[in-house]
């Protein structure tokens, strides 16, 4: 068996049918990363009859002087259960890249080692895949520990929603209420185009270290075969105003009832109900004012948006954001609800992207975790991030001089 270079067509064809296929192990992703200082190889591992037994996209980059490193995003496409195949493949990769002054090849397989959900109180249940960690370590592979939350190139924990089982009526009461109110305010999902990428990027301020060009390139490349959507949430102010007036009129009748009642029976209970109704009326008045102002402007307003990758049986929310000026509309809740509803007839799962392994208030990302957990997803823990060492001496030297840490803190990926 030997390593060979594959064409992008050969690689994509093999990757398409591999059990570990993902959007990062595609020629499209290689093309995007080539804009950010990376070269790339499509490597195949073939038998004597040229049957491909394993393959991988490896992004390559110079890190210091003549020294280089490689990165197989979301891991090699290989049978990790076949120890002999895996060991031979890793040895061949190591030898191949060592000759060209590579220090290490980083990889992070999309292999699930544990899962949890609300039903078992977010206590992780592990499976037999955990043994892969020790097997890789025995092959001169170093596993990088997650020293702090979101410390790795890809999240170690991801929230996946089963779209076929998604039912808004099964969500917690607070989320149902927010989504129902959003529907009453005339909110709906629409598709955007390349010219709208800056609008989404503006909504993501403070949430990303990547440049605008990254998302623009991502959309342009993945849209060539319709494998990405740019979605936005808009507000129909005519419908919003109509519903606001309807709700206001209903509450006005209730308010009149309590007003008449306290004239006859001014008990504390009735006075409290009247005061509660007064507050509601004031809130509805303010919403009528906002809806009227929006209608007068007569322009399309995007209150939330997301880039959604479509890959085989799942969709992935690559990036999302909302306009904080419209926070009162709960745009982020409605955005996710609308995404689930749009794609559930055609896809099985939605990757809501990363959460942390701490599901209590001790996490600095507690708010992010809670927002996703309340949609009742399954949380998967992946096997982690590894470095296949090609030159042990140089690897230790780079670790001590912080070259590696500095490189991967750039958030290029």
């Amino acid at each position: 068996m030997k390593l060979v270079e594959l064409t992008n067509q050969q690689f994509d064809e093999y990757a398409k049918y591999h059990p570990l296929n993902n959007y990062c192990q595609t020629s499209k992703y290689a093309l995007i990363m080539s804009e950010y200082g990376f070269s790339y190889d499509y490597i195949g591992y073939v038998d004597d009859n040229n049957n491909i037994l394993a393959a991988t996209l490896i992004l390559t980059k110079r890190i210091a002087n003549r020294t280089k490193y490689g990165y197989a995003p979301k891991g090699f496409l290989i049978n990790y259960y076949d120890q002999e195949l895996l060991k031979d493949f890793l040895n061949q990769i190591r030898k191949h890249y060592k000759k060209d002054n590579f220090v290490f090849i980083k990889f992070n397989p999309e292999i699930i080692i544990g899962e949890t959900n609300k039903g078992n109180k977010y206590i992780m249940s592990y499976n037999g895949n955990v043994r892969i960690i020790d097997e890789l370590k025995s092959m001169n592979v170093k596993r990088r520990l997650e020293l702090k939350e979101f410390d790795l190139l890809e999240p170690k924990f991801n929230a996946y929603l089963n779209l076929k089982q998604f039912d808004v009526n099964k969500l917690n009461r607070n989320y149902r209420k927010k989504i129902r109110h959003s529907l009453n305010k005339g909110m709906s999902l629409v598709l955007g185009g390349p010219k709208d990428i800056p609008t989404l990027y503006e909504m993501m301020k403070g949430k990303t270290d990547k440049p605008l060009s990254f998302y623009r390139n991502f959309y342009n490349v993945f849209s060539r075969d319709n494998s990405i959507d740019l979605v936005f949430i808009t507000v129909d102010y005519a419908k919003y105003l109509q519903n606001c007036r309807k709700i206001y009129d209903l509450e006005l009748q209730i308010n009149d009832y309590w007003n008449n009642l306290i004239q006859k029976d001014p008990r504390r209970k009735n006075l409290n109900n009247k005061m509660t109704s007064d507050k509601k009326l004031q809130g509805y008045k303010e919403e009528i004012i906002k809806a009227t102002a929006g209608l007068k402007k007569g322009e399309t307003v995007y209150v939330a948006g997301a880039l959604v990758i479509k890959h085989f049986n799942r969709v992935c929310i690559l990036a999302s954001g909302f306009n904080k000026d419209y926070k009162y509309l709960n745009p982020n809740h409605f955005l996710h609800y609308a995404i689930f509803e749009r794609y559930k007839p055609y896809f099985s799962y939605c990757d809501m992207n990363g959460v942390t392994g701490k599901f209590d208030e001790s996490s600095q990302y507690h708010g992010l975790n809670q927002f996703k957990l309340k949609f009742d997803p399954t949380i998967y823990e992946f096997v982690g991030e590894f470095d296949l060492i090609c030159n042990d001496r140089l690897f230790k030297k780079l670790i001590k001089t912080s070259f590696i840490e500095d490189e991967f803190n750039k958030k290029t990926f």
Side-chain angles (χ1 to χ4, degrees):
M1 294 183 285
K2 61 181 180 180
L3 293 181
V4 297
E5 290 190 15
L6 302 175
T7 65
N8 60 346
Q9 291 89 350
Q10 287 174 316
F11 173 73
D12 281 340
E13 188 65 19
Y14 177 82
K16 181 166 59 175
Y17 297 105
H18 197 276
L20 294 176
N21 72 78
N22 62 81
Y23 70 85
C24 288
Q25 282 289 323
T26 62
S27 62
K28 292 178 290 189
Y29 192 75
L31 190 59
I32 292 167
M33 298 311 297
S34 69
E35 296 290 325
Y36 300 95
F38 291 90
S39 300
Y40 54 86
D41 301 325
Y42 301 119
I43 300 296
Y45 193 48
V46 300
D47 62 17
D48 294 337
N49 296 316
N50 282 325
N51 296 310
I52 302 176
L53 305 178
T56 184
L57 159 67
I58 296 183
L59 304 172
T60 67
K61 194 175 186 182
R62 192 178 303 277
I63 191 171
N65 299 322
R66 296 171 61 242
T67 304
K68 305 171 188 175
Y69 73 90
Y71 173 44
K74 297 202 175 181
F76 309 121
L77 301 178
I78 191 172
N79 181 359
Y80 286 84
Y81 301 116
D82 189 331
Q83 292 185 49
E84 184 177 349
L85 174 67
L86 181 60
K87 184 176 181 179
D88 290 344
F89 174 75
L90 294 180
N91 283 335
Q92 291 277 3
I93 289 285
R94 182 184 292 112
K95 290 176 183 177
H96 176 78
Y97 282 97
K98 184 176 182 178
K99 290 186 294 185
D100 200 16
N101 296 314
F102 278 71
V103 181
F104 64 93
I105 307 294
K106 188 178 288 291
F107 62 104
N108 41 12
E110 207 172 41
I111 296 173
I112 296 168
I113 62 171
E115 66 178 86
T116 187
N117 55 39
K118 182 175 67 176
N120 56 19
K121 300 180 180 178
Y122 299 108
I123 298 172
M124 194 63 66
S125 174
Y126 290 96
N127 59 45
N129 289 339
V130 293
R131 73 175 187 270
I132 292 174
I133 297 171
D134 290 331
E135 290 168 359
L136 286 170
K137 287 180 179 179
S138 72
M139 300 173 189
N140 195 26
V141 171
K142 297 186 182 297
R143 188 182 190 224
R144 187 180 173 209
L145 297 179
E146 189 175 41
L147 300 178
K148 57 184 181 180
E149 296 169 300
F150 291 131
D151 196 26
L152 307 178
L153 291 182
E154 291 288 340
K156 190 179 176 184
F157 301 87
N158 271 41
Y160 272 77
L161 190 78
N162 186 325
L163 292 177
K164 301 304 182 186
Q165 296 178 4
F166 175 71
D167 182 353
V168 67
N169 295 310
K170 295 180 180 179
L171 297 181
N172 73 71
R173 185 169 177 263
N174 185 40
Y175 271 35
R176 292 200 310 269
K177 183 178 179 181
K178 287 180 177 180
I179 291 168
R180 184 174 66 252
H181 284 181
S182 296
L183 286 167
N184 288 336
K185 291 166 185 173
M187 294 169 68
S188 62
L189 183 146
V190 298
L191 291 179
K195 70 180 189 307
D196 299 310
I197 296 291
T199 302
L200 173 62
Y201 193 74
E202 184 69 20
M203 295 176 182
M204 293 163 52
K205 277 187 174 178
K207 290 180 60 179
T208 181
D209 296 312
K210 295 181 175 65
L212 170 63
S213 61
F214 177 83
Y215 298 103
R216 197 192 301 275
N217 290 339
F218 217 109
Y219 181 83
N220 289 339
V221 171
F222 274 73
S223 63
R224 293 175 187 175
D225 64 355
N226 193 33
S227 55
I228 194 169
D229 286 335
L230 174 58
V231 300
F232 285 104
I233 300 302
T234 64
V235 181
D236 182 341
Y237 279 103
K239 184 177 179 181
Y240 183 8
L241 181 58
Q242 181 182 16
N243 287 331
C244 283
R245 285 173 172 165
K246 182 178 179 181
I247 294 170
Y248 178 83
D249 289 343
L250 288 173
E251 189 60 42
L252 189 60
Q253 294 177 28
I254 294 172
N255 191 269
D256 287 341
Y257 168 80
W258 291 118
N259 191 47
N260 291 329
L261 186 60
I262 62 175
Q263 304 301 320
K264 304 174 185 176
D265 185 6
R267 283 183 295 175
R268 173 59 59 184
K269 178 181 176 181
N270 293 336
L271 287 170
N272 287 341
N273 285 332
K274 172 65 166 60
M275 291 172 63
T276 298
S277 181
D278 288 342
K279 289 179 182 179
K280 288 183 179 181
L281 277 178
Q282 182 59 36
Y284 297 148
K285 281 182 182 179
E286 291 174 0
E287 291 212 43
I288 288 174
I289 292 170
K290 291 174 182 176
T292 302
L295 186 60
K296 284 181 179 179
K297 288 181 180 178
E299 58 187 28
T300 301
V301 176
Y302 292 152
V303 298
L307 279 170
V308 180
I309 298 172
K310 300 175 287 186
H311 188 80
F312 289 86
N313 70 334
R314 58 178 163 166
V315 293
C316 173
I317 301 175
L318 175 69
S320 66
F322 64 93
N323 188 329
K324 292 179 175 55
D325 291 340
Y326 296 89
K327 190 175 181 180
Y328 67 94
L329 293 175
N330 300 309
N332 203 27
H333 295 80
F334 189 79
L335 170 68
H336 284 74
Y337 157 76
I339 287 173
F340 303 152
E341 289 292 338
R342 175 180 175 81
Y343 293 104
K344 73 178 185 181
Y346 315 106
F347 297 90
S348 298
Y349 300 94
C350 178
D351 179 357
M352 298 174 68
N353 222 314
V355 293
T356 74
K358 295 180 180 179
F359 302 115
D360 55 31
E361 293 183 6
S362 67
S363 170
Q364 70 178 103
Y365 298 97
H366 180 65
L368 170 70
N369 279 356
Q370 287 302 303
F371 174 80
K372 294 181 180 181
L373 293 182
K374 287 183 179 178
F375 282 104
D376 198 17
T378 297
I379 308 301
Y380 292 115
E381 179 178 349
F382 295 115
V383 69
E385 186 174 298
F386 300 86
D387 292 317
L388 173 65
I389 311 302
C390 302
N391 187 318
D392 194 61
R393 181 185 62 83
L394 275 177
F395 183 81
K396 290 177 180 177
K397 181 179 178 181
L398 289 173
I399 289 289
K400 289 180 180 179
T401 56
S402 79
F403 267 113
I404 294 177
E405 182 181 355
D406 292 345
E407 170 65 21
F408 290 103
N409 280 339
K410 295 176 183 176
K411 304 292 184 184
T412 313
F413 300 97

